[in-house]
Amino acid sequence: MANTYTQLYVQVVFAVKDRQSLIPHRHKEELHCYITGIVQRRGAKLLAVHCMPDHTHLFVSYSPALAIADLVKEVKTATSTFIKDKRSTRVPFYWQEGYGAFSYSQSQVDAVVRYILNQEEHHHKRTFRDEYRALLEKFEIPFETKYLFKWVEEEG
């Protein structure tokens, strides 16, 4: 598009089904590379990625021609197959439905990259549940708890 200039950044967060800790540490770097390839093929730039055992954060710079929902669907579908093909879990691997997407300005890029790359450290102090709720509240996104990710510890 001639004379169209954009600078769009979004952090995407999604969880393993039932918040199970199924993303093995030994495959984490390979999974990060795989996700990077998916994002790049869609014409976006992956600024940061971090897969925790039970959830994933992506930080992407993208053009308005790319629908975030389509990108997330592709990443989740492809990585689910990737993890299943690696046979890296004892139980079937699935991503939970839904995701969170949070937009940022250029001035916030470095801080968000640091935040995502330091996920291990953050989760020594705060659970994913608390982190996700805090993001929703920070961005003033209305939510009902019953529609948030299903939490394993709630079963019973």
Side-chain angles (χ1 to χ4, degrees):
M1 290 185 267
N3 298 319
T4 301
Y5 305 99
T6 63
Q7 192 172 58
L8 305 169
Y9 302 98
V10 67
Q11 176 185 193
V12 178
V13 183
F14 49 90
V16 174
K17 187 172 183 189
D18 298 331
R19 279 277 329 294
Q20 296 180 76
S21 293
L22 296 179
I23 300 174
H25 191 269
R26 69 184 179 278
H27 292 301
K28 187 166 76 169
E29 289 305 315
E30 190 177 13
L31 187 56
H32 289 175
C33 290
Y34 190 72
I35 291 170
T36 301
I38 295 166
V39 171
Q40 288 175 342
R41 281 191 302 278
R42 293 300 303 259
K45 181 177 180 183
L46 188 63
L47 302 172
V49 59
H50 196 102
C51 296
M52 293 294 291
D54 63 351
H55 72 281
T56 294
H57 289 259
L58 310 176
F59 189 41
V60 178
S61 172
Y62 66 102
S63 85
L66 176 62
I68 295 301
D70 293 342
L71 177 64
V72 173
K73 180 180 179 181
E74 187 173 338
V75 168
K76 288 171 78 173
T77 299
T79 55
S80 182
T81 300
F82 178 83
I83 291 168
K84 288 174 186 174
D85 288 349
K86 288 279 179 194
R87 292 180 167 61
S88 55
T89 64
R90 291 189 176 111
V91 298
F93 181 89
Y94 299 97
W95 292 110
Q96 194 142 343
E97 285 186 46
Y99 60 91
F102 310 96
S103 60
Y104 293 89
S105 67
Q106 171 65 38
S107 64
Q108 298 168 303
V109 168
D110 290 341
V112 176
V113 167
R114 278 192 308 276
Y115 175 79
I116 290 173
L117 296 180
N118 288 314
Q119 281 295 293
E120 306 280 342
E121 181 180 317
H122 294 300
H123 289 292
H124 287 298
K125 301 172 193 165
R126 178 186 256 186
T127 66
F128 173 56
R129 176 189 285 197
D130 291 340
E131 173 189 46
Y132 194 69
R133 283 174 163 270
L135 281 167
L136 293 170
E137 290 166 359
K138 174 183 172 182
F139 285 87
E140 299 180 9
I141 299 172
F143 65 93
E144 291 186 45
T145 303
K146 67 182 178 180
Y147 296 118
L148 290 182
F149 297 132
K150 183 176 178 184
W151 308 101
V152 172
E153 61 269 19
E154 289 177 350
E155 294 181 358

